[in-house]
Amino acid sequence: MNTALSPTIALTLDLIRQPSVTPFDADCQRIMIDRLTAIGFTIERMRFGDVDNFWARRGTTGPLFAFAGHTDVVPTGPVERWSVPPFEPSIENGILTGRGAADMKGSLAAMVVACERFVAAHPNHKGSIAFLITADEEGVATDGTVKVVETLEARQEKITWCLVGEPSSTTLVGDVIKNGRRGSLGGVLTVRGRQGHVAYPHLASNPIHNLAPALTELVNEVWDEGNAFFPATSFQVSNINAGTGANNVIPGELQAVFNFRFSTELTESILRQRTEAILDKHGLDYHIDWKLSGHPFLTAEGDLVSAAVNSIRRITGRETTLSTTGGTSDGRFIAPTGAQVLELGPVNKTIHQVNECVAVADLDTLTALYEDILLQLLAS
């Protein structure tokens, strides 16, 4: 190991070298487990389906502070477009490039090193520290954090504070932290018509034409106005498919894929009811397969938010912005347990892209932030 590298950067490099494309962990969790075991964590491996997860805990009493994150990464995309092999990380001019550098192996390394430093200084800290780590965040997310949380809930093991290492920052590390996320409700809409010849439309029923007025109404509907913490709920169509490929055949069926990103002003059931009411009004013969990916959640205030804001101000000298924008995260599975949930991680500018990268200095700053948050909440 290059002794010039900080412990956080050295561990980040080790983790990136593992080709842990979702839902496979490669060897990331073993690397983390070895480090955590050495500082007194008890490890519980939890495998569900083909997914490796682990729950690590140091301490048996409350309050319980948990770091949450994922070792899986998205596919690399065209390897030839990378400036370096994506699983052979490189540092040049203070920038670390490699798949998972920002999302989120850098955060995982910062969490581990922050804990090592905190435990060394406070071996008899208050309460407990835990890690909830999955390899199923970037995929379908059915056998990862959601299953671990179900296990913890079944035995009444309650998380007080949860810090998720998702890349929340926009320009500078700590400039934005996520104190909530919008809900995500998807649907696959099938509209049934009657196939026929385009020259004889009176003998057919065109599902494209039938849907068009209803779709216009759905697109223009004001679902809510949002609130102080969330933007207004949005409705977006991502795919529409119909037709046989021939230009003289009226299709017999149309399929449209859509998604709501919704605020705490609405519920899943209200969105479903209002959507179906619009479709019913237009007399469509249809069916919707609904899928709820997560309810909206919000940690408006509390010890965790205060600790994070204070740490960012003290260590970086900047004021942070609380935000609920962006996609979903595994925080959506943890927040319903009653835990305060916050996301704080590196700059997200290159996540999921070719040449994903992060500033080396940012990961060392992130380590200091995590350690300082632990100091505020659990120092003995």
Side-chain angles (χ1 to χ4, degrees):
M1 183 181 71
N2 186 342
T3 56
L5 298 176
S6 72
T8 298
I9 302 307
L11 180 53
T12 301
L13 295 178
D14 286 345
L15 293 173
I16 292 176
R17 291 186 184 106
Q18 309 304 313
S20 56
V21 177
T22 191
F24 302 108
D25 169 68
D27 212 22
C28 293
Q29 292 185 17
R30 181 200 60 78
I31 292 171
M32 295 181 67
I33 285 170
D34 287 348
R35 297 282 285 261
L36 294 173
T37 301
I39 56 172
F41 279 80
T42 299
I43 310 298
E44 187 175 357
R45 294 178 182 269
M46 297 185 183
R47 184 174 175 85
F48 300 104
D50 294 326
V51 177
D52 288 312
N53 312 281
F54 77 82
W55 171 251
R57 180 164 178 165
R58 188 182 197 276
T60 58
T61 62
L64 172 56
F65 179 100
F67 287 107
H70 59 91
T71 56
D72 59 318
V73 298
V74 296
T76 63
V79 174
E80 64 275 10
R81 290 180 53 199
W82 284 72
S83 61
V84 300
F87 296 113
E88 296 177 22
S90 172
I91 298 175
E92 185 172 350
N93 298 323
I95 302 298
L96 191 166
T97 301
R99 176 56 87 219
D103 189 14
M104 58 178 291
K105 292 182 177 181
S107 297
L108 297 178
M111 292 171 181
V112 171
V113 173
C115 277
E116 290 173 336
R117 293 175 178 172
F118 175 75
V119 168
H122 300 274
N124 299 313
H125 58 79
K126 295 187 295 187
S128 302
I129 310 171
F131 279 72
L132 195 170
I133 305 299
T134 182
D136 187 35
E137 197 275 343
E138 298 289 9
V140 294
T142 56
D143 288 318
T145 298
V146 62
K147 290 289 182 63
V148 177
V149 169
E150 287 173 359
T151 302
L152 298 177
E153 285 289 281
R155 64 195 191 199
Q156 291 296 301
E157 192 169 357
K158 289 288 188 179
I159 297 171
T160 310
W161 307 296
C162 182
L163 197 157
V164 185
E166 289 292 344
S168 62
S169 304
T170 301
T171 304
L172 301 167
V173 67
D175 61 356
V176 175
I177 53 179
K178 305 287 188 181
N179 66 324
R181 292 280 189 163
R182 292 176 294 175
S184 177
L185 175 64
V188 179
L189 167 66
T190 300
V191 178
R192 293 176 286 266
R194 184 165 62 250
Q195 185 173 318
H197 196 294
V198 296
Y200 302 96
H202 59 288
L203 299 178
S205 177
N206 193 321
I208 301 174
H209 295 185
N210 297 342
L211 176 62
L215 185 58
T216 298
E217 186 169 344
L218 289 167
V219 169
N220 292 326
E221 178 77 359
V222 177
W223 301 95
D224 63 28
E225 300 289 347
N227 55 39
F229 298 100
F230 290 91
T233 293
S234 68
F235 169 85
Q236 289 293 314
V237 177
S238 57
N239 288 275
I240 293 182
N241 296 289
T244 65
N247 68 358
N248 60 352
V249 178
I250 293 171
E253 188 173 275
L254 175 149
Q255 190 174 83
V257 181
F258 63 89
N259 180 266
F260 286 101
R261 293 301 166 101
F262 63 103
S263 75
T264 48
E265 294 295 301
L266 294 171
T267 64
E268 170 205 3
S269 62
I270 290 174
L271 285 172
R272 291 174 60 158
Q273 290 167 11
R274 287 176 60 182
T275 301
E276 291 169 2
I278 290 173
L279 296 173
D280 290 340
K281 183 173 71 173
H282 289 270
L284 297 175
D285 180 7
Y286 73 93
H287 172 76
I288 301 178
D289 290 317
W290 293 98
K291 182 179 180 182
L292 177 69
S293 296
H295 293 285
F297 69 90
L298 178 69
T299 301
E301 57 186 11
D303 299 331
L304 183 58
V305 169
S306 296
V309 170
N310 291 339
S311 291
I312 292 166
R313 182 184 300 121
R314 180 160 49 242
I315 290 169
T316 72
R318 64 184 66 108
E319 298 297 324
T320 192
T321 298
L322 298 176
S323 172
T324 61
T325 60
T328 59
S329 79
D330 275 1
R332 69 190 189 274
F333 302 126
I334 301 166
T337 69
Q340 296 177 34
V341 178
L342 198 65
E343 299 174 27
L344 170 59
V347 173
N348 57 28
K349 183 178 179 180
T350 64
I351 60 173
H352 292 205
Q353 296 182 16
V354 167
N355 290 327
E356 178 182 350
C357 61
V358 67
V360 167
D362 282 358
L363 294 185
D364 288 327
T365 299
L366 192 61
T367 305
L369 291 173
Y370 289 166
E371 182 183 2
D372 194 69
I373 291 170
L374 286 171
L375 283 167
Q376 291 183 66
L377 296 176
L378 294 181
S380 53

